[in-house]
Amino acid sequence: MAVTIKDVAKAANVAPSTVSRVIANHPRISERTKKKVREAMENLGYHPNFIARSLANQSTQVLGLVMPGSTEVFFQNPFFPTVLRGLSEGADEKQYALQLTTGKTEEEIYNGVVQMVQGGRVDGVVLLYSKVEDRLLMYLKERNFPFVMIGKPFKYVEEITHVDNDNFRATKEVAQYMLDLGHERIAFIGGDLNLVVTVERLLGYEKALRQAGIPLRDDYIIHEEFLREGGREAVNELMMLKEPPTALIVVDDLMALGVLNTLDEMNIRVPEDISIISFNNVLMTEMSKPPLTSVDINIFDLGFQAAKSLIQRIENPKEPIKRVIVPHEIVKRCSCSERNE
Amino acid sequence: MAVTIKDVAKAANVAPSTVSRVIANHPRISERTKKKVREAMENLGYHPNFIARSLANQSTQVLGLVMPGSTEVFFQNPFFPTVLRGLSEGADEKQYALQLTTGKTEEEIYNGVVQMVQGGRVDGVVLLYSKVEDRLLMYLKERNFPFVMIGKPFKYVEEITHVDNDNFRATKEVAQYMLDLGHERIAFIGGDLNLVVTVERLLGYEKALRQAGIPLRDDYIIHEEFLREGGREAVNELMMLKEPPTALIVVDDLMALGVLNTLDEMNIRVPEDISIISFNNVLMTEMSKPPLTSVDINIFDLGFQAAKSLIQRIENPKEPIKRVIVPHEIVKRCSCSERNE
DNA sequence: TTGTAAGCGTTATCAC
DNA sequence: GTGATAACGCTTACAA
């Protein structure tokens, strides 16, 4: 059995409560006893028991991370490890630990989170996504349980602490960039329409075109659920059109890679024949052929800020709801060029 | 305040212990009381408190995951999310949760794990790597704390539960494959020499060449710590040689991608001028130009088996140490061809 | 079959 | 300043 606070107390000839106070660095404890107790702790190799502490405190110093339902797809995306690294650093700074939800289906995940929350395993929860329809979100909101969302809430924007890019503006800028290069036949290859990020980006794209007086075409807007394969599919559809686009806006680098591959097989050159821009700016964008122009959304920061916001929310529940917008930036590489007629 | 076992007891007109027994599905409880209690739980919306349970049981149903010191590099590798998915499924099956260690430096991680372990936060620990020299390993081993390693232990192979590929044999096969294609000038581009996997693969490579009667050349063996950049570096060195190799064995797909890029810049064609094979068979290998021949090491399974082995170890500490070897397979794509003189 | 009560390792509220 | 003691929510002998 491990050495407890009582053992230390005995060894140092004080009461357990005194030991507890020394650990907490309570102010009114004489330096002498502090030293005495600390020595005893050292000698016995004492380490505080988190579980007991959690029970007494009603707080665990653990943050729960919630993946979207389609774990398999999500895990494949370089977005995940990077945001995780950000979360990890943010949590670490304040001495919080990270716990993952497991579960493959949406149902399993929901139940897992409910257990986590009601079971008192975590002090707060990070939603790593934002869906249009989300039971879990409603659950957390109703309980008033501390949570933060990475992405923009579909509803209740003012009532939910979240960390996000301005995806609407980013995509508007991206479309404008293509317009400035002389493109007019600009297609949009989006992801799962249940994700708010897809919606936001689509709206930004539409806005830019509309402002430029270019009519929107349904056949230029495609949504694919899977990343790599999705890219292939989309290109196949678009290139069959009588008037194929000369520029593509792709909502994910991985998908863009699929696009690039398929285009290559079709002997369509990038950027000479068609321009491509995508989102996330993950490592691989540098290594593709040609290197992809991509919007850096600061994934690490998304995670880092989310952890910090959540912890703040946990520790100061009275403070007002916070929204953090992480800046983005178009990183120009070699996949876009002026339109050649 | 949340609803507790006592509230349920009151509502059902039984003692708290009875409620506890119902939860545990204790055999000698009458069906009638079971029903009564369950209804009360339902009505009150009762959820067991994991923390309290953990304290009473001295067990948390949580597994700790330990990253190698160089978190940043590790997170970038597609290996990580895949192994995590495997761990997640393995843990989920037995209703265990996953907790991550945070911390950037090796020192921070070490302390984090010690806290986790001594603080009773986790029932067992997964080491996601195997290093030649490892303080943490020694620490866990000395305490006899349940843990499992993904990779081959450098020492105490018989005494440590681990899940691994047969990397020695795999690399021998890979080298043999190159030999069979007529290559004799085969170079090896390895990773961090502190990782056992690098060592094992190097040994397999050497063995194959020696068996074929081909003298080992120091200048054909290169080790790089970082993945992408490492690939570039290595190619630069190798191609400067008077007798550059005609085949490359690269220990990581990501590194191989860097290799491919650099080669392309040098106008060296793959596989016409040089053949390449790498390890891990991550998604990107299919998408590179040309698609990479790679050794599938079943990363998901490594994680899955690790979780299962660890849980078994936790629940049956008496059982003998287990070693699981996950099979590998060379997935032939387009980056290797017969040697052209 | 069920109830009583001690215990898990802390923290926190009183006293002194 | 420090020491008793109750409390956190659950499990588990031991009784009944």
Side-chain angles (χ1 to χ4, degrees):
Chain A
M1 183 95 318
V3 25
T4 77
I5 219 172
K6 286 183 190 166
D7 303 319
V8 177
K10 248 172 231 157
N13 249 309
V14 295
S17 47
T18 304
V19 177
S20 175
R21 283 189 267 253
V22 172
I23 295 169
N25 220 329
H26 199 100
R28 354 182 230 277
I29 285 275
S30 74
E31 280 306 321
R32 247 193 63 226
T33 16
K34 271 190 192 169
K35 179 168 292 177
K36 206 169 52 176
V37 170
R38 290 207 176 110
E39 275 168 12
M41 298 200 306
E42 186 74 21
N43 291 337
L44 300 179
Y46 169 79
H47 283 265
N49 182 312
F50 279 107
I51 303 299
R53 178 179 285 181
S54 298
L55 185 59
N57 279 335
Q58 301 287 72
S59 113
T60 58
Q61 300 265 112
V62 178
L63 309 181
L65 305 186
V66 185
M67 325 286 165
S70 43
T71 330
E72 199 165 334
V73 178
F74 190 64
F75 272 52
Q76 274 172 19
N77 198 312
F79 178 87
F80 170 64
T82 309
V83 79
L84 193 55
R85 203 160 52 79
L87 286 161
S88 171
E89 279 194 29
D92 192 46
E93 257 183 21
K94 301 275 187 175
Q95 305 274 53
Y96 275 73
L98 257 29
Q99 193 153 132
L100 302 174
T101 48
T102 60
K104 281 174 287 188
T105 68
E106 206 149 320
E107 180 72 12
E108 277 177 31
I109 291 179
Y110 180 83
N111 291 327
V113 175
V114 171
Q115 279 201 9
M116 229 185 199
V117 168
Q118 309 261 18
R121 270 207 216 255
V122 296
D123 293 344
V125 151
V126 182
L127 300 182
L128 295 177
Y129 60 88
S130 171
K131 281 193 281 203
V132 171
E133 222 30 85
D134 194 1
R135 241 173 110 198
L136 194 48
L137 175 75
M138 293 317 290
Y139 166 81
L140 294 167
K141 191 166 171 308
E142 273 165 22
R143 307 251 141 194
N144 201 18
F145 190 81
F147 75 99
V148 60
M149 164 176 271
I150 295 184
K152 181 178 171 186
F154 188 63
K155 284 186 272 191
Y156 313 109
V157 187
E158 305 295 330
E159 302 167 48
I160 294 174
T161 295
H162 62 278
V163 179
D164 194 19
N165 306 106
D166 188 341
N167 279 302
F168 175 77
R169 196 159 66 80
T171 319
K172 236 178 60 187
E173 286 169 15
V174 158
Q176 190 57 53
Y177 175 60
M178 288 299 195
L179 290 165
D180 291 346
L181 286 172
H183 294 279
E184 294 188 341
R185 302 210 302 273
I186 305 173
F188 177 88
I189 306 180
D192 186 344
L193 256 177
N194 262 313
L195 295 178
V196 175
V197 57
T198 306
V199 177
E200 288 290 310
R201 289 183 183 162
L202 178 56
L203 291 174
Y205 158 83
E206 293 182 346
K207 175 80 173 187
L209 293 207
R210 231 180 287 112
Q211 275 187 351
I214 296 180
L216 294 174
R217 298 175 49 161
D218 276 353
D219 51 2
Y220 277 4
I221 298 177
I222 296 194
H223 291 282
E224 298 286 347
E225 211 159 319
F226 297 99
L227 295 174
R228 241 182 355 151
E229 306 79 352
R232 307 195 81 82
E233 292 287 321
V235 171
N236 285 331
E237 284 187 47
L238 288 170
M239 291 305 151
M240 301 254 297
L241 296 176
K242 271 170 243 147
E243 280 194 317
T246 64
L248 303 178
I249 297 176
V250 188
V251 295
D252 189 283
D253 291 330
L254 229 52
M255 207 177 241
L257 249 45
V259 166
L260 232 41
N261 263 254
T262 316
L263 251 18
D264 184 67
E265 285 164 16
M266 293 175 160
N267 278 317
I268 299 174
R269 292 163 308 164
V270 177
E272 292 83 353
D273 302 328
I274 192 166
S275 289
I276 299 181
I277 189 167
S278 62
F279 281 83
N280 289 8
N281 194 38
V282 298
L283 274 182
M284 277 130 25
T285 51
E286 284 181 46
M287 314 201 33
S288 62
K289 278 190 63 185
L292 277 169
T293 292
S294 180
V295 180
D296 190 341
I297 59 170
N298 281 307
I299 302 176
F300 176 87
D301 235 40
L302 248 21
F304 187 74
Q305 298 292 346
K308 295 191 66 154
S309 303
L310 177 55
I311 292 170
Q312 198 163 86
R313 184 124 203 84
I314 291 168
E315 296 180 348
N316 301 311
K318 319 251 101 182
E319 297 233 326
I321 295 300
K322 226 178 70 182
R323 172 198 333 210
V324 179
I325 298 297
V326 172
H328 61 266
E329 183 194 3
I330 298 181
V331 179
K332 293 176 187 168
R333 283 191 273 259
C334 316
S335 61
C336 297
S337 74
E338 300 211 340
R339 167 165 152 247
N340 302 317
E341 210 43 32
Chain B
M1 185 96 320
V3 27
T4 78
I5 217 172
K6 285 184 192 165
D7 303 319
V8 178
K10 247 171 233 157
N13 249 311
V14 295
S17 50
T18 304
V19 178
S20 175
R21 283 188 267 255
V22 172
I23 294 169
N25 220 329
H26 200 98
R28 12 179 216 274
I29 286 276
S30 75
E31 280 305 323
R32 244 194 64 227
T33 17
K34 271 189 192 170
K35 179 168 293 176
K36 205 170 53 177
V37 169
R38 289 207 176 110
E39 274 168 11
M41 298 199 308
E42 187 73 22
N43 291 337
L44 300 179
Y46 169 79
H47 284 264
N49 182 312
F50 278 107
I51 302 299
R53 179 181 283 182
S54 297
L55 186 59
N57 280 336
Q58 302 286 71
S59 113
T60 58
Q61 299 266 109
V62 177
L63 309 181
L65 305 187
V66 185
M67 325 284 167
S70 42
T71 331
E72 199 166 334
V73 178
F74 190 64
F75 271 52
Q76 273 173 19
N77 198 313
F79 178 87
F80 170 64
T82 309
V83 79
L84 193 55
R85 203 160 51 81
L87 285 161
S88 171
E89 278 195 29
D92 192 46
E93 259 184 21
K94 301 275 188 176
Q95 305 275 52
Y96 276 72
L98 256 31
Q99 192 154 131
L100 301 174
T101 49
T102 60
K104 280 175 288 188
T105 68
E106 206 148 320
E107 181 72 11
E108 277 178 30
I109 292 180
Y110 180 83
N111 291 328
V113 175
V114 171
Q115 279 202 8
M116 229 186 201
V117 168
Q118 309 261 18
R121 269 209 220 253
V122 295
D123 293 343
V125 149
V126 183
L127 299 182
L128 294 177
Y129 60 88
S130 170
K131 280 192 281 202
V132 171
E133 219 37 78
D134 194 1
R135 242 172 109 198
L136 193 50
L137 175 75
M138 294 315 291
Y139 166 81
L140 295 168
K141 193 168 170 306
E142 273 165 22
R143 307 249 141 198
N144 201 20
F145 190 81
F147 75 100
V148 61
M149 162 176 272
I150 295 184
K152 181 178 170 185
F154 188 63
K155 285 187 272 191
Y156 313 109
V157 186
E158 305 295 329
E159 301 166 50
I160 294 173
T161 294
H162 63 279
V163 179
D164 194 19
N165 305 106
D166 188 340
N167 279 302
F168 176 78
R169 196 158 67 80
T171 320
K172 238 176 62 184
E173 287 169 15
V174 158
Q176 190 60 51
Y177 175 61
M178 289 299 195
L179 290 165
D180 291 347
L181 288 171
H183 293 279
E184 294 188 341
R185 301 210 304 272
I186 304 172
F188 178 89
I189 305 181
D192 187 343
L193 257 176
N194 262 314
L195 296 178
V196 176
V197 57
T198 306
V199 177
E200 288 290 310
R201 289 182 182 164
L202 179 57
L203 291 175
Y205 158 83
E206 293 182 345
K207 176 79 174 189
L209 293 208
R210 233 182 281 113
Q211 275 186 351
I214 295 181
L216 295 174
R217 297 175 49 161
D218 276 354
D219 51 3
Y220 277 7
I221 298 177
I222 295 196
H223 290 284
E224 299 286 348
E225 212 160 319
F226 296 100
L227 294 174
R228 241 181 357 149
E229 304 81 351
R232 307 195 82 83
E233 292 286 322
V235 171
N236 285 333
E237 284 187 45
L238 288 170
M239 290 306 153
M240 300 255 295
L241 296 175
K242 269 168 244 145
E243 281 193 318
T246 64
L248 303 178
I249 298 175
V250 188
V251 295
D252 189 283
D253 290 331
L254 229 53
M255 205 177 245
L257 250 44
V259 166
L260 232 43
N261 262 255
T262 317
L263 252 17
D264 183 67
E265 285 165 16
M266 293 175 161
N267 278 316
I268 300 174
R269 293 164 307 164
V270 178
E272 293 83 352
D273 302 328
I274 193 165
S275 289
I276 299 181
I277 189 168
S278 63
F279 281 82
N280 288 10
N281 195 39
V282 298
L283 274 183
M284 275 130 26
T285 52
E286 285 181 44
M287 313 199 37
S288 62
K289 277 189 61 181
L292 277 170
T293 291
S294 179
V295 181
D296 190 340
I297 59 169
N298 281 306
I299 302 177
F300 175 87
D301 237 39
L302 286 173
F304 187 74
Q305 298 292 346
K308 294 192 65 152
S309 303
L310 177 55
I311 291 170
Q312 198 163 84
R313 182 124 203 84
I314 291 168
E315 296 181 349
N316 301 310
K318 320 251 99 182
E319 297 233 327
I321 294 301
K322 227 178 68 181
R323 173 198 333 209
V324 179
I325 298 298
V326 171
H328 61 266
E329 185 194 1
I330 298 182
V331 178
K332 293 177 188 169
R333 284 192 272 259
C334 316
S335 60
C336 298
S337 75
E338 300 212 340
R339 168 165 150 245
N340 304 316
E341 210 45 27

